[in-house]
Amino acid sequence: MQLYIDCPCTSFPRNFARDYKETYRYPPPSTIYGLLLSLVGEVDINKHQGVKLAIGIIGGDPPISRILRKQRHHKYSKQNLGTYSTSQFSKPNYHELLTDLKVVVRIDSNKEAGTVKLADRVARALSTPAQITRFGGLSLGESWALVNGIRPYRDNDGSIHWLIRDNRGLISLPIWIDRQSGRGTFQRFRLVDEFDEEACWVTIP
Amino acid sequence: MTKHLFATIVTATAIAANNRGEGDGSTLSTLQKITRGNDQYTTVSAEAIRWGLREYFQNHYEPEVNRTFNPETDDPKTDDSKTDDSKTDKYSFKDEEFSHKKYIDDDLFGYMDAKKGKDKKDDTRKRRGALEVSRAMSLDPYWGDVTFGSKGGEKGKTSIHNTEVHYTAYQYTIALTPEGLSKPERALLALDAIAAVRHVGGNHARFLYDFRPESIVLRITDDPSPWIMGVFKRIGESVGCPQLVRLIEVGDVEANELIVGGEIADTPYGEQLKTLGVQVYRGVKKAIAQAKEQLQQQLNIKVPA
């Protein structure tokens, strides 16, 4: 199964970014996995562990825009509860955005532990959306980064550049962040024009 | 089966100058800008739009709103116990425990009360905002227009300032699953709010940039993705939607799921949409009323009193 995802504007904040919110240039596998769970209406993030994803983008690298925005910052304190005034608790800061991102995703559910496979659920969600129960807008990244559309890939959508696992590659993306320990699994990638049956697949641990 | 409500809104064309306080300490109030293709466009954050929607609910349904904002509360002239720092810009919560059942804003916009419970375990109360709003983008590229001004009274070396301004219209999209709300009928109120949102694209709250829809495309569907984001394009002096016509012609979007309203109805695109079977209304309010009626029928909900 090969999906086409159109996202007009988004941001994938880098894990180790501090105040200056830099973005990854490509959607991390964990973000794509979250989008697919949302698409099928699954709220248990561990439900489809073991699924393999391959991610590609259509066209050149999406342009990065840098905006200046107001960032509010405060620690929880009883003293200031509800009184975080703009003058004291906000400051200007930069934030990077990506525009006109067109992503292609392949899903391989063969190694999934559960009986109900993610690939089957995605296929059903796209072919008969009336049969699924889900909530909320589909977003890739934060909730404002709405996805315009998701459907099976068509040949005339454009040529795909695939992210391929390469330990010497210059693209580093998080694959998974453990919520309990806060530890992350990271992988380096590079872009290729041909799909590679070995190196394109990333397993969600 | 889940029904989703999507809407893409394009505002009237006016002079936007939304600096939202980023200029603190500098003499330049900047617009947020974004690169698309080879051009730069200006943009308004989803948070700013959500702020405008909150303002509407506060003005119209104050008893049912949890978080209110009043820039004039606790004026130090009348309340000596307050220090200058906490005198204004203050939110008031009726219930800091939050309740999506009781309050419209907690239901639509979500909340997070971050705290630690016993044994330092996570005791955060949170709810994802059901009403999702995209970033608004200008229809026209930004050419770098700047206005100069100065503060009133005696002039000094710091009294002059400049502001980036953009004569343009903005478009943005909202997504809402009415059944995801604690009270699905609040989706109808959200539609009213979208038709009346204010104070989003102007300089702070002083100058009005009319952010209400000049044209609107509503879609009530089972499809989880809207497909109608960014369908409005500047065509000459006016606004058109060639992409929307194409989406219906190729069958990616069903014509009977769409309701279109506003000035777009009086353009050739309005005629094309009508021919394709879309419900087209000349007025935005009529289109929204129709969407409300369809939602009520399909979800079997009643208009809140």
Side-chain angles (χ1 to χ4, degrees), chain A residues 119-152:
Chain A
D120 298 337
R121 292 181 74 179
V122 169
R124 201 169 67 131
L126 293 181
S127 60
T128 49
Q131 288 183 13
I132 55 165
T133 302
R134 61 175 303 282
F135 62 91
L138 264 184
S139 43
L140 192 62
E142 293 174 54
S143 70
W144 57 262
L146 285 173
V147 164
N148 183 29
I150 177 164
R151 60 162 166 75

PDB file of all heavy atoms in Angstrom, chain A residues 119-152:
ATOM      1  N   ALA A 119      -2.148  -1.873   8.072  1.00  0.00           N
ATOM      2  CA  ALA A 119      -2.336  -1.674   6.625  1.00  0.00           C
ATOM      3  C   ALA A 119      -3.786  -1.948   6.221  1.00  0.00           C
ATOM      4  O   ALA A 119      -4.365  -1.202   5.416  1.00  0.00           O
ATOM      5  CB  ALA A 119      -1.393  -2.586   5.847  1.00  0.00           C
ATOM      6  N   ASP A 120      -4.376  -2.988   6.816  1.00  0.00           N
ATOM      7  CA  ASP A 120      -5.771  -3.317   6.487  1.00  0.00           C
ATOM      8  C   ASP A 120      -6.717  -2.231   6.990  1.00  0.00           C
ATOM      9  O   ASP A 120      -7.677  -1.864   6.311  1.00  0.00           O
ATOM     10  CB  ASP A 120      -6.162  -4.663   7.121  1.00  0.00           C
ATOM     11  CG  ASP A 120      -5.308  -5.787   6.577  1.00  0.00           C
ATOM     12  OD1 ASP A 120      -4.782  -5.616   5.458  1.00  0.00           O
ATOM     13  OD2 ASP A 120      -5.156  -6.807   7.270  1.00  0.00           O
ATOM     14  N   ARG A 121      -6.420  -1.750   8.188  1.00  0.00           N
ATOM     15  CA  ARG A 121      -7.296  -0.712   8.764  1.00  0.00           C
ATOM     16  C   ARG A 121      -7.208   0.579   7.950  1.00  0.00           C
ATOM     17  O   ARG A 121      -8.218   1.256   7.737  1.00  0.00           O
ATOM     18  CB  ARG A 121      -6.907  -0.439  10.222  1.00  0.00           C
ATOM     19  CG  ARG A 121      -7.199  -1.601  11.151  1.00  0.00           C
ATOM     20  CD  ARG A 121      -6.828  -1.278  12.568  1.00  0.00           C
ATOM     21  NE  ARG A 121      -7.768  -0.352  13.194  1.00  0.00           N
ATOM     22  CZ  ARG A 121      -7.661   0.073  14.454  1.00  0.00           C
ATOM     23  NH1 ARG A 121      -6.668  -0.352  15.217  1.00  0.00           N
ATOM     24  NH2 ARG A 121      -8.535   0.910  14.971  1.00  0.00           N
ATOM     25  N   VAL A 122      -5.984   0.929   7.507  1.00  0.00           N
ATOM     26  CA  VAL A 122      -5.824   2.141   6.689  1.00  0.00           C
ATOM     27  C   VAL A 122      -6.578   1.983   5.372  1.00  0.00           C
ATOM     28  O   VAL A 122      -7.286   2.894   4.920  1.00  0.00           O
ATOM     29  CB  VAL A 122      -4.325   2.452   6.447  1.00  0.00           C
ATOM     30  CG1 VAL A 122      -4.151   3.531   5.391  1.00  0.00           C
ATOM     31  CG2 VAL A 122      -3.646   2.869   7.749  1.00  0.00           C
ATOM     32  N   ALA A 123      -6.445   0.802   4.772  1.00  0.00           N
ATOM     33  CA  ALA A 123      -7.124   0.553   3.493  1.00  0.00           C
ATOM     34  C   ALA A 123      -8.636   0.696   3.663  1.00  0.00           C
ATOM     35  O   ALA A 123      -9.322   1.293   2.826  1.00  0.00           O
ATOM     36  CB  ALA A 123      -6.780  -0.847   2.991  1.00  0.00           C
ATOM     37  N   ARG A 124      -9.143   0.177   4.773  1.00  0.00           N
ATOM     38  CA  ARG A 124     -10.584   0.256   5.006  1.00  0.00           C
ATOM     39  C   ARG A 124     -11.014   1.697   5.274  1.00  0.00           C
ATOM     40  O   ARG A 124     -12.053   2.154   4.806  1.00  0.00           O
ATOM     41  CB  ARG A 124     -10.971  -0.634   6.195  1.00  0.00           C
ATOM     42  CG  ARG A 124     -12.442  -0.996   6.191  1.00  0.00           C
ATOM     43  CD  ARG A 124     -12.726  -2.062   7.205  1.00  0.00           C
ATOM     44  NE  ARG A 124     -12.518  -1.546   8.553  1.00  0.00           N
ATOM     45  CZ  ARG A 124     -13.383  -1.676   9.548  1.00  0.00           C
ATOM     46  NH1 ARG A 124     -14.506  -2.325   9.356  1.00  0.00           N
ATOM     47  NH2 ARG A 124     -13.137  -1.206  10.735  1.00  0.00           N
ATOM     48  N   ALA A 125     -10.174   2.435   6.018  1.00  0.00           N
ATOM     49  CA  ALA A 125     -10.505   3.832   6.332  1.00  0.00           C
ATOM     50  C   ALA A 125     -10.593   4.673   5.062  1.00  0.00           C
ATOM     51  O   ALA A 125     -11.405   5.585   4.960  1.00  0.00           O
ATOM     52  CB  ALA A 125      -9.462   4.423   7.279  1.00  0.00           C
ATOM     53  N   LEU A 126      -9.738   4.343   4.084  1.00  0.00           N
ATOM     54  CA  LEU A 126      -9.729   5.135   2.852  1.00  0.00           C
ATOM     55  C   LEU A 126     -10.840   4.705   1.894  1.00  0.00           C
ATOM     56  O   LEU A 126     -11.432   5.546   1.219  1.00  0.00           O
ATOM     57  CB  LEU A 126      -8.372   5.030   2.155  1.00  0.00           C
ATOM     58  CG  LEU A 126      -7.201   5.668   2.916  1.00  0.00           C
ATOM     59  CD1 LEU A 126      -5.922   5.512   2.121  1.00  0.00           C
ATOM     60  CD2 LEU A 126      -7.461   7.146   3.188  1.00  0.00           C
ATOM     61  N   SER A 127     -11.116   3.410   1.843  1.00  0.00           N
ATOM     62  CA  SER A 127     -12.119   2.958   0.878  1.00  0.00           C
ATOM     63  C   SER A 127     -13.541   3.156   1.401  1.00  0.00           C
ATOM     64  O   SER A 127     -14.429   3.548   0.660  1.00  0.00           O
ATOM     65  CB  SER A 127     -11.881   1.491   0.520  1.00  0.00           C
ATOM     66  OG  SER A 127     -11.985   0.707   1.692  1.00  0.00           O
ATOM     67  N   THR A 128     -13.735   2.909   2.687  1.00  0.00           N
ATOM     68  CA  THR A 128     -15.082   3.067   3.247  1.00  0.00           C
ATOM     69  C   THR A 128     -15.008   3.876   4.555  1.00  0.00           C
ATOM     70  O   THR A 128     -15.133   3.304   5.647  1.00  0.00           O
ATOM     71  CB  THR A 128     -15.729   1.699   3.539  1.00  0.00           C
ATOM     72  OG1 THR A 128     -14.779   0.906   4.267  1.00  0.00           O
ATOM     73  CG2 THR A 128     -16.146   0.983   2.293  1.00  0.00           C
ATOM     74  N   PRO A 129     -14.784   5.179   4.429  1.00  0.00           N
ATOM     75  CA  PRO A 129     -14.625   5.996   5.643  1.00  0.00           C
ATOM     76  C   PRO A 129     -15.853   5.977   6.549  1.00  0.00           C
ATOM     77  O   PRO A 129     -15.741   6.207   7.750  1.00  0.00           O
ATOM     78  CB  PRO A 129     -14.356   7.405   5.105  1.00  0.00           C
ATOM     79  CG  PRO A 129     -14.756   7.386   3.685  1.00  0.00           C
ATOM     80  CD  PRO A 129     -14.631   5.983   3.214  1.00  0.00           C
ATOM     81  N   ALA A 130     -17.017   5.676   5.968  1.00  0.00           N
ATOM     82  CA  ALA A 130     -18.232   5.661   6.788  1.00  0.00           C
ATOM     83  C   ALA A 130     -18.194   4.553   7.836  1.00  0.00           C
ATOM     84  O   ALA A 130     -18.954   4.574   8.794  1.00  0.00           O
ATOM     85  CB  ALA A 130     -19.458   5.509   5.900  1.00  0.00           C
ATOM     86  N   GLN A 131     -17.311   3.565   7.647  1.00  0.00           N
ATOM     87  CA  GLN A 131     -17.272   2.433   8.581  1.00  0.00           C
ATOM     88  C   GLN A 131     -16.356   2.647   9.780  1.00  0.00           C
ATOM     89  O   GLN A 131     -16.318   1.821  10.682  1.00  0.00           O
ATOM     90  CB  GLN A 131     -16.832   1.174   7.841  1.00  0.00           C
ATOM     91  CG  GLN A 131     -17.901   0.651   6.900  1.00  0.00           C
ATOM     92  CD  GLN A 131     -17.454  -0.632   6.229  1.00  0.00           C
ATOM     93  OE1 GLN A 131     -16.490  -1.242   6.628  1.00  0.00           O
ATOM     94  NE2 GLN A 131     -18.182  -1.023   5.189  1.00  0.00           N
ATOM     95  N   ILE A 132     -15.568   3.720   9.756  1.00  0.00           N
ATOM     96  CA  ILE A 132     -14.638   3.900  10.877  1.00  0.00           C
ATOM     97  C   ILE A 132     -15.163   4.951  11.845  1.00  0.00           C
ATOM     98  O   ILE A 132     -15.906   5.856  11.474  1.00  0.00           O
ATOM     99  CB  ILE A 132     -13.218   4.304  10.415  1.00  0.00           C
ATOM    100  CG1 ILE A 132     -13.267   5.565   9.543  1.00  0.00           C
ATOM    101  CG2 ILE A 132     -12.528   3.156   9.713  1.00  0.00           C
ATOM    102  CD1 ILE A 132     -11.936   6.205   9.370  1.00  0.00           C
ATOM    103  N   THR A 133     -14.754   4.795  13.094  1.00  0.00           N
ATOM    104  CA  THR A 133     -15.107   5.771  14.115  1.00  0.00           C
ATOM    105  C   THR A 133     -13.825   6.440  14.569  1.00  0.00           C
ATOM    106  O   THR A 133     -12.892   5.775  15.020  1.00  0.00           O
ATOM    107  CB  THR A 133     -15.763   5.061  15.317  1.00  0.00           C
ATOM    108  OG1 THR A 133     -16.894   4.361  14.825  1.00  0.00           O
ATOM    109  CG2 THR A 133     -16.200   6.071  16.364  1.00  0.00           C
ATOM    110  N   ARG A 134     -13.754   7.714  14.385  1.00  0.00           N
ATOM    111  CA  ARG A 134     -12.566   8.456  14.791  1.00  0.00           C
ATOM    112  C   ARG A 134     -12.984   9.871  15.171  1.00  0.00           C
ATOM    113  O   ARG A 134     -14.145  10.234  15.024  1.00  0.00           O
ATOM    114  CB  ARG A 134     -11.523   8.475  13.674  1.00  0.00           C
ATOM    115  CG  ARG A 134     -12.001   9.139  12.383  1.00  0.00           C
ATOM    116  CD  ARG A 134     -10.891   9.239  11.372  1.00  0.00           C
ATOM    117  NE  ARG A 134      -9.745   9.957  11.898  1.00  0.00           N
ATOM    118  CZ  ARG A 134      -9.681  11.278  12.008  1.00  0.00           C
ATOM    119  NH1 ARG A 134     -10.680  12.024  11.624  1.00  0.00           N
ATOM    120  NH2 ARG A 134      -8.619  11.872  12.502  1.00  0.00           N
ATOM    121  N   PHE A 135     -12.032  10.647  15.683  1.00  0.00           N
ATOM    122  CA  PHE A 135     -12.383  12.014  16.056  1.00  0.00           C
ATOM    123  C   PHE A 135     -11.227  12.948  15.718  1.00  0.00           C
ATOM    124  O   PHE A 135     -10.083  12.518  15.584  1.00  0.00           O
ATOM    125  CB  PHE A 135     -12.703  12.093  17.553  1.00  0.00           C
ATOM    126  CG  PHE A 135     -11.534  11.713  18.427  1.00  0.00           C
ATOM    127  CD1 PHE A 135     -10.642  12.673  18.862  1.00  0.00           C
ATOM    128  CD2 PHE A 135     -11.308  10.392  18.779  1.00  0.00           C
ATOM    129  CE1 PHE A 135      -9.553  12.324  19.643  1.00  0.00           C
ATOM    130  CE2 PHE A 135     -10.223  10.036  19.563  1.00  0.00           C
ATOM    131  CZ  PHE A 135      -9.343  11.009  19.998  1.00  0.00           C
ATOM    132  N   GLY A 136     -11.552  14.209  15.556  1.00  0.00           N
ATOM    133  CA  GLY A 136     -10.538  15.239  15.372  1.00  0.00           C
ATOM    134  C   GLY A 136     -10.073  15.367  13.941  1.00  0.00           C
ATOM    135  O   GLY A 136     -10.272  14.483  13.116  1.00  0.00           O
ATOM    136  N   GLY A 137      -9.462  16.501  13.644  1.00  0.00           N
ATOM    137  CA  GLY A 137      -8.899  16.714  12.321  1.00  0.00           C
ATOM    138  C   GLY A 137      -7.621  15.897  12.192  1.00  0.00           C
ATOM    139  O   GLY A 137      -6.993  15.557  13.180  1.00  0.00           O
ATOM    140  N   LEU A 138      -7.270  15.575  10.961  1.00  0.00           N
ATOM    141  CA  LEU A 138      -6.018  14.852  10.743  1.00  0.00           C
ATOM    142  C   LEU A 138      -4.899  15.866  10.658  1.00  0.00           C
ATOM    143  O   LEU A 138      -4.956  16.786   9.852  1.00  0.00           O
ATOM    144  CB  LEU A 138      -6.095  14.126   9.410  1.00  0.00           C
ATOM    145  CG  LEU A 138      -6.514  12.679   9.371  1.00  0.00           C
ATOM    146  CD1 LEU A 138      -6.410  12.182   7.952  1.00  0.00           C
ATOM    147  CD2 LEU A 138      -5.665  11.836  10.294  1.00  0.00           C
ATOM    148  N   SER A 139      -3.888  15.701  11.487  1.00  0.00           N
ATOM    149  CA  SER A 139      -2.785  16.647  11.395  1.00  0.00           C
ATOM    150  C   SER A 139      -1.452  15.911  11.380  1.00  0.00           C
ATOM    151  O   SER A 139      -1.322  14.830  11.949  1.00  0.00           O
ATOM    152  CB  SER A 139      -2.852  17.660  12.522  1.00  0.00           C
ATOM    153  OG  SER A 139      -3.168  17.033  13.731  1.00  0.00           O
ATOM    154  N   LEU A 140      -0.488  16.495  10.703  1.00  0.00           N
ATOM    155  CA  LEU A 140       0.863  15.935  10.634  1.00  0.00           C
ATOM    156  C   LEU A 140       1.747  16.894  11.415  1.00  0.00           C
ATOM    157  O   LEU A 140       2.163  17.930  10.908  1.00  0.00           O
ATOM    158  CB  LEU A 140       1.304  15.834   9.170  1.00  0.00           C
ATOM    159  CG  LEU A 140       2.564  15.026   8.891  1.00  0.00           C
ATOM    160  CD1 LEU A 140       2.402  13.585   9.307  1.00  0.00           C
ATOM    161  CD2 LEU A 140       2.936  15.104   7.432  1.00  0.00           C
ATOM    162  N   GLY A 141       2.027  16.558  12.654  1.00  0.00           N
ATOM    163  CA  GLY A 141       2.732  17.480  13.539  1.00  0.00           C
ATOM    164  C   GLY A 141       1.754  17.979  14.583  1.00  0.00           C
ATOM    165  O   GLY A 141       0.921  17.219  15.073  1.00  0.00           O
ATOM    166  N   GLU A 142       1.844  19.272  14.914  1.00  0.00           N
ATOM    167  CA  GLU A 142       0.913  19.811  15.907  1.00  0.00           C
ATOM    168  C   GLU A 142      -0.488  19.929  15.311  1.00  0.00           C
ATOM    169  O   GLU A 142      -0.663  19.806  14.104  1.00  0.00           O
ATOM    170  CB  GLU A 142       1.401  21.194  16.375  1.00  0.00           C
ATOM    171  CG  GLU A 142       2.702  21.125  17.149  1.00  0.00           C
ATOM    172  CD  GLU A 142       3.233  22.510  17.470  1.00  0.00           C
ATOM    173  OE1 GLU A 142       2.488  23.310  18.047  1.00  0.00           O
ATOM    174  OE2 GLU A 142       4.395  22.790  17.140  1.00  0.00           O
ATOM    175  N   SER A 143      -1.477  20.223  16.179  1.00  0.00           N
ATOM    176  CA  SER A 143      -2.865  20.146  15.712  1.00  0.00           C
ATOM    177  C   SER A 143      -3.199  21.208  14.663  1.00  0.00           C
ATOM    178  O   SER A 143      -4.104  21.026  13.871  1.00  0.00           O
ATOM    179  CB  SER A 143      -3.823  20.266  16.887  1.00  0.00           C
ATOM    180  OG  SER A 143      -3.798  21.567  17.397  1.00  0.00           O
ATOM    181  N   TRP A 144      -2.449  22.331  14.634  1.00  0.00           N
ATOM    182  CA  TRP A 144      -2.756  23.339  13.618  1.00  0.00           C
ATOM    183  C   TRP A 144      -2.267  22.890  12.241  1.00  0.00           C
ATOM    184  O   TRP A 144      -2.709  23.426  11.224  1.00  0.00           O
ATOM    185  CB  TRP A 144      -2.163  24.701  13.986  1.00  0.00           C
ATOM    186  CG  TRP A 144      -0.678  24.678  14.202  1.00  0.00           C
ATOM    187  CD1 TRP A 144      -0.026  24.605  15.394  1.00  0.00           C
ATOM    188  CD2 TRP A 144       0.349  24.713  13.197  1.00  0.00           C
ATOM    189  NE1 TRP A 144       1.331  24.571  15.195  1.00  0.00           N
ATOM    190  CE2 TRP A 144       1.591  24.649  13.864  1.00  0.00           C
ATOM    191  CE3 TRP A 144       0.347  24.800  11.811  1.00  0.00           C
ATOM    192  CZ2 TRP A 144       2.809  24.659  13.189  1.00  0.00           C
ATOM    193  CZ3 TRP A 144       1.565  24.811  11.137  1.00  0.00           C
ATOM    194  CH2 TRP A 144       2.776  24.748  11.826  1.00  0.00           C
ATOM    195  N   ALA A 145      -1.363  21.930  12.194  1.00  0.00           N
ATOM    196  CA  ALA A 145      -0.774  21.510  10.920  1.00  0.00           C
ATOM    197  C   ALA A 145      -1.687  20.496  10.250  1.00  0.00           C
ATOM    198  O   ALA A 145      -1.358  19.321  10.101  1.00  0.00           O
ATOM    199  CB  ALA A 145       0.613  20.928  11.165  1.00  0.00           C
ATOM    200  N   LEU A 146      -2.854  20.957   9.846  1.00  0.00           N
ATOM    201  CA  LEU A 146      -3.861  20.059   9.284  1.00  0.00           C
ATOM    202  C   LEU A 146      -3.394  19.457   7.966  1.00  0.00           C
ATOM    203  O   LEU A 146      -2.754  20.123   7.149  1.00  0.00           O
ATOM    204  CB  LEU A 146      -5.164  20.819   9.043  1.00  0.00           C
ATOM    205  CG  LEU A 146      -6.016  21.159  10.271  1.00  0.00           C
ATOM    206  CD1 LEU A 146      -7.180  22.051   9.869  1.00  0.00           C
ATOM    207  CD2 LEU A 146      -6.524  19.907  10.923  1.00  0.00           C
ATOM    208  N   VAL A 147      -3.738  18.194   7.786  1.00  0.00           N
ATOM    209  CA  VAL A 147      -3.477  17.515   6.523  1.00  0.00           C
ATOM    210  C   VAL A 147      -4.640  17.817   5.589  1.00  0.00           C
ATOM    211  O   VAL A 147      -5.795  17.738   5.994  1.00  0.00           O
ATOM    212  CB  VAL A 147      -3.368  15.994   6.772  1.00  0.00           C
ATOM    213  CG1 VAL A 147      -3.478  15.211   5.486  1.00  0.00           C
ATOM    214  CG2 VAL A 147      -2.066  15.676   7.479  1.00  0.00           C
ATOM    215  N   ASN A 148      -4.327  18.214   4.368  1.00  0.00           N
ATOM    216  CA  ASN A 148      -5.404  18.531   3.435  1.00  0.00           C
ATOM    217  C   ASN A 148      -6.066  17.260   2.915  1.00  0.00           C
ATOM    218  O   ASN A 148      -7.283  17.181   2.828  1.00  0.00           O
ATOM    219  CB  ASN A 148      -4.859  19.354   2.269  1.00  0.00           C
ATOM    220  CG  ASN A 148      -5.941  19.769   1.302  1.00  0.00           C
ATOM    221  OD1 ASN A 148      -7.102  19.935   1.700  1.00  0.00           O
ATOM    222  ND2 ASN A 148      -5.597  19.939   0.049  1.00  0.00           N
ATOM    223  N   GLY A 149      -5.245  16.266   2.589  1.00  0.00           N
ATOM    224  CA  GLY A 149      -5.842  15.056   2.056  1.00  0.00           C
ATOM    225  C   GLY A 149      -4.913  13.868   2.145  1.00  0.00           C
ATOM    226  O   GLY A 149      -3.692  14.019   2.189  1.00  0.00           O
ATOM    227  N   ILE A 150      -5.513  12.694   2.210  1.00  0.00           N
ATOM    228  CA  ILE A 150      -4.738  11.455   2.227  1.00  0.00           C
ATOM    229  C   ILE A 150      -5.488  10.437   1.377  1.00  0.00           C
ATOM    230  O   ILE A 150      -6.699  10.275   1.514  1.00  0.00           O
ATOM    231  CB  ILE A 150      -4.497  10.992   3.685  1.00  0.00           C
ATOM    232  CG1 ILE A 150      -3.751   9.670   3.765  1.00  0.00           C
ATOM    233  CG2 ILE A 150      -5.764  10.886   4.487  1.00  0.00           C
ATOM    234  CD1 ILE A 150      -3.180   9.408   5.151  1.00  0.00           C
ATOM    235  N   ARG A 151      -4.779   9.808   0.450  1.00  0.00           N
ATOM    236  CA  ARG A 151      -5.406   8.865  -0.491  1.00  0.00           C
ATOM    237  C   ARG A 151      -4.313   7.981  -1.070  1.00  0.00           C
ATOM    238  O   ARG A 151      -3.122   8.246  -0.883  1.00  0.00           O
ATOM    239  CB  ARG A 151      -6.125   9.625  -1.612  1.00  0.00           C
ATOM    240  CG  ARG A 151      -5.216  10.518  -2.438  1.00  0.00           C
ATOM    241  CD  ARG A 151      -5.859  10.895  -3.758  1.00  0.00           C
ATOM    242  NE  ARG A 151      -5.171  11.992  -4.429  1.00  0.00           N
ATOM    243  CZ  ARG A 151      -4.015  11.911  -5.065  1.00  0.00           C
ATOM    244  NH1 ARG A 151      -3.339  10.771  -5.083  1.00  0.00           N
ATOM    245  NH2 ARG A 151      -3.480  12.955  -5.661  1.00  0.00           N
ATOM    246  N   PRO A 152      -4.693   6.903  -1.785  1.00  0.00           N
ATOM    247  CA  PRO A 152      -3.666   6.089  -2.432  1.00  0.00           C
ATOM    248  C   PRO A 152      -2.867   6.915  -3.447  1.00  0.00           C
ATOM    249  O   PRO A 152      -3.415   7.808  -4.099  1.00  0.00           O
ATOM    250  CB  PRO A 152      -4.467   4.986  -3.126  1.00  0.00           C
ATOM    251  CG  PRO A 152      -5.747   4.912  -2.369  1.00  0.00           C
ATOM    252  CD  PRO A 152      -6.038   6.308  -1.917  1.00  0.00           C
TER     253      PRO A 152
END
